[in-house]
Amino acid sequence: MYPYVTGTSVVALKYKDGILMAADMGGSYGSTLRYKSVERMKPIGKHSLLGASGEISDFQEILRYLDELILYDNMWDDGNSLGPKEVHNYLTRVMYNRRNKFNPLWNSLVLGGVKNGQKYLGTVSMIGVNFEDNHVATGFGNHLARPILRQEWHENLSFENGVRLLEKCMRVLLYRDRSAVNKLQIAKITEDGVTISQPYSLKTYWEFSAFENPAQGAIGSW
Amino acid sequence: MTKQQANWSPYDNNGGSCVAIAGADYCVIAADTRMSTGYNILTRDYSKICKLADKCVMASSGFQADVRALQKQLAARHLIYQHQHNKQMSCPAMAQLLSNTLYYKRFFPYYSFNVLGGLDNEGKGCVFTYDAVGSYEKVGYSSQGSGSTLIMPFLDNQLKSPSPLLLPAQDAVTPLVEAEAIDLVKTVFASASERDIYTVNKLELVIINAAGIRREYMELRKD
């Protein structure tokens, strides 16, 4: 069982008014960059935002499951709607049950949302491991972005500071994750709803003098 | 054409340790709050302790998705029991249920290492310790998880119980008072966190006695 078309890291954090999430738009086919406009974050119902890394077709399948879930929820027409906690729980059960049948959905999911003023941010892996926290990341983001978030995240970040922090994480990922692409979206979810930005790219700097002619002065083969 | 081998494992070890000590009229259950995978930290503030019934609490370490599924199963069965019998399950009853639930998945186990603690029907503390497939034993104290190899010998030294093989059967509960047992648990985790990389961050203690259930926290070293 292997993944074929994959997305790389998703990074998300809680800020003053809700959740901010970022993901690039690349869909890699092994080492080829096959698709460059893949939207890896989607709104779910009224209160949630789902971001996924891993196999893109499995993400699309999950979106179909969630469509049906939200449809049935709306059909009750009882004034209640599924919040991020409920959607996260549903996704956890789906991922865990597929793992039990030895046919996993090859994704790491990030689920964020706000309902009745309560912010929620959680994650589920392909084998069903799930937790919530003030900031989460998938894949390489766990290694590169979370240390930055642990150092610099604090309660009640403003929107601008939250975006700046996310961009800092995405820039590091761009420099160091070979499957990252410089075309990303940042999504925000608050009590008022979801906004996903237009795709844009980060400014990068490649002229650091230490990287120019790095082998100068090196002795031996290193 | 060679047979395709699985390149993913349905299991993971999310680390951590659990301890429980039974006293004459109380029970202390404790676990750390870190969730890890390999050499990474997933989160520093995750509870491994789950209240199953009024006087029965379970602490589990191992593969978190299996632990969660197990807790949900037991909670659901407990609700059915309450509907059918109009009372809470006692700790020894829950202990048997846990054992049966674990053995049910004998050939695709819950990778969950559990200690069950609480008060029995007479209000005396009891601790049950399990392996991943349900073999269990009523003991006076126990530890499970990544730090158990460091913690258990120390508990054996401090709380040595009479052998379960003796006849007539002798009481396994510790003569320590509640405050002393809590102190011992804190000491034990402070020591384990020095040498076990998975048992760190924060210690969560749950104390059950006649008055009810209360929770305490203690900071541990975070590296």
Side-chain angles (χ1 to χ4, degrees):
Chain A
M1 170 105 224
Y2 303 99
Y4 289 99
V5 180
T6 56
T8 184
S9 327
V10 177
V11 189
L13 48 78
K14 281 190 192 166
Y15 79 109
K16 186 160 59 89
D17 306 321
I19 312 291
L20 281 167
M21 196 185 294
D24 68 23
M25 301 192 78
S28 309
Y29 184 58
S31 50
T32 328
L33 180 60
R34 175 68 184 83
Y35 299 103
K36 295 192 266 193
S37 297
V38 181
E39 288 198 26
R40 298 195 290 115
M41 296 182 294
K42 292 283 183 190
I44 310 292
K46 284 206 287 263
H47 304 285
S48 319
L49 177 63
L50 174 66
S53 68
E55 173 63 60
I56 302 294
S57 63
D58 281 347
F59 175 51
Q60 290 169 343
E61 183 76 358
I62 288 169
L63 290 175
R64 274 190 284 274
Y65 283 139
L66 287 172
D67 263 346
E68 198 178 331
L69 182 75
I70 300 294
L71 181 71
Y72 276 89
D73 186 42
N74 288 342
M75 279 179 8
W76 284 108
D77 196 23
D78 59 359
N80 194 20
S81 48
L82 290 171
K85 218 180 194 105
E86 290 83 58
V87 177
H88 185 223
N89 190 47
Y90 175 79
L91 287 170
T92 306
R93 290 297 108 220
V94 167
M95 302 301 272
Y96 183 70
N97 276 300
R98 289 289 296 256
R99 162 261 185 203
N100 281 347
K101 294 193 273 209
F102 274 87
N103 181 207
L105 288 160
W106 205 284
N107 295 108
S108 288
L109 304 171
V110 172
L111 199 296
V114 191
K115 189 177 175 198
N116 298 332
Q118 293 273 54
K119 302 188 282 254
Y120 185 90
L121 181 58
T123 181
V124 198
S125 78
M126 68 183 251
I127 47 173
V129 175
N130 71 300
F131 59 93
E132 17 157 354
D133 209 340
N134 294 319
H135 47 78
V136 294
T138 66
F140 259 97
N142 269 313
H143 294 99
L144 298 172
R146 288 206 72 203
I148 300 173
L149 292 165
R150 286 202 180 101
Q151 189 82 311
E152 299 189 22
W153 183 89
H154 56 86
E155 291 271 7
N156 290 320
L157 275 166
S158 69
F159 175 72
E160 292 75 25
N161 284 335
V163 172
R164 198 172 299 139
L165 186 50
L166 268 186
E167 284 187 347
K168 184 172 183 179
C169 296
M170 295 305 282
R171 188 171 290 110
V172 170
L173 285 165
L174 183 59
Y175 283 133
R176 291 293 178 176
D177 177 7
R178 75 148 190 194
S179 31
V181 291
N182 197 2
K183 181 178 174 195
L184 69 146
Q185 291 176 302
I186 293 202
K188 129 174 115 99
I189 179 164
T190 63
E191 192 75 55
D192 305 321
V194 174
T195 324
I196 303 183
S197 74
Q198 285 300 314
Y200 70 103
S201 41
L202 296 168
K203 283 209 217 335
T204 56
Y205 184 69
W206 301 95
E207 312 307 318
F208 286 108
S209 57
F211 291 107
E212 279 172 34
N213 203 2
Q216 189 177 58
I219 307 161
S221 56
W222 289 101
Chain B
M1 178 110 157
T2 48
K3 187 172 167 181
Q4 228 192 27
Q5 296 287 2
N7 57 353
W8 65 281
S9 166
Y11 293 114
D12 190 12
N13 189 355
N14 300 119
S17 313
C18 325
V19 163
I21 301 182
D25 60 353
Y26 67 88
C27 188
V28 181
I29 299 98
D32 70 306
T33 62
R34 175 179 280 188
M35 188 157 106
S36 340
T37 172
Y39 284 119
N40 289 338
I41 302 169
L42 290 173
T43 185
R44 295 180 188 272
D45 198 5
Y46 184 82
S47 175
K48 297 186 183 59
I49 302 182
C50 176
K51 180 179 136 175
L52 296 175
D54 260 357
K55 302 274 176 185
C56 185
V57 163
M58 176 171 83
S60 321
S61 76
F63 174 45
Q64 185 270 347
D66 272 349
V67 166
R68 252 296 176 259
L70 184 62
Q71 288 170 350
K72 265 178 178 270
Q73 262 279 53
L74 294 172
R77 290 297 301 272
H78 185 228
L79 193 59
I80 295 170
Y81 183 94
Q82 283 178 85
H83 289 151
Q84 289 175 341
H85 302 279
N86 196 22
K87 64 175 184 178
Q88 294 273 328
M89 263 175 104
S90 68
C91 198
M94 188 57 87
Q96 185 66 57
L97 178 61
L98 174 54
S99 169
N100 292 350
T101 309
L102 289 168
Y103 196 78
Y104 196 77
K105 294 243 297 159
R106 170 68 176 77
F107 299 109
F108 184 17
Y110 288 112
Y111 191 81
S112 166
F113 298 97
N114 313 295
V115 282
L116 195 72
L119 303 179
D120 64 17
N121 285 322
E122 284 128 39
K124 208 161 75 166
C126 56
V127 167
F128 297 89
T129 187
Y130 294 79
D131 72 357
V133 285
S135 92
Y136 80 112
E137 191 187 3
K138 180 168 188 287
V139 286
Y141 60 90
S142 180
S143 78
Q144 291 285 350
S146 57
S148 68
T149 48
L150 298 168
I151 295 173
M152 202 59 179
F154 186 66
L155 290 178
D156 283 333
N157 177 267
Q158 296 294 308
L159 297 171
K160 186 158 40 198
S161 336
S163 167
L165 300 168
L166 286 172
L167 284 173
Q170 287 196 26
D171 222 346
V173 296
T174 173
L176 291 177
V177 300
E178 189 183 299
E180 289 173 324
I182 293 173
D183 224 32
L184 178 60
V185 167
K186 289 181 177 177
T187 309
V188 135
F189 269 90
S191 312
S193 63
E194 294 288 318
R195 293 289 178 176
D196 179 18
I197 57 174
Y198 298 110
T199 303
V200 264
N201 263 124
K202 205 161 69 167
L203 170 64
E204 183 185 5
L205 290 117
V206 170
I207 303 111
I208 310 181
N209 52 27
I213 298 190
R214 75 172 199 280
R215 221 167 266 256
E216 264 183 47
Y217 292 95
M218 183 183 94
E219 296 294 327
L220 296 170
R221 58 182 301 161
K222 298 173 192 313
D223 60 355

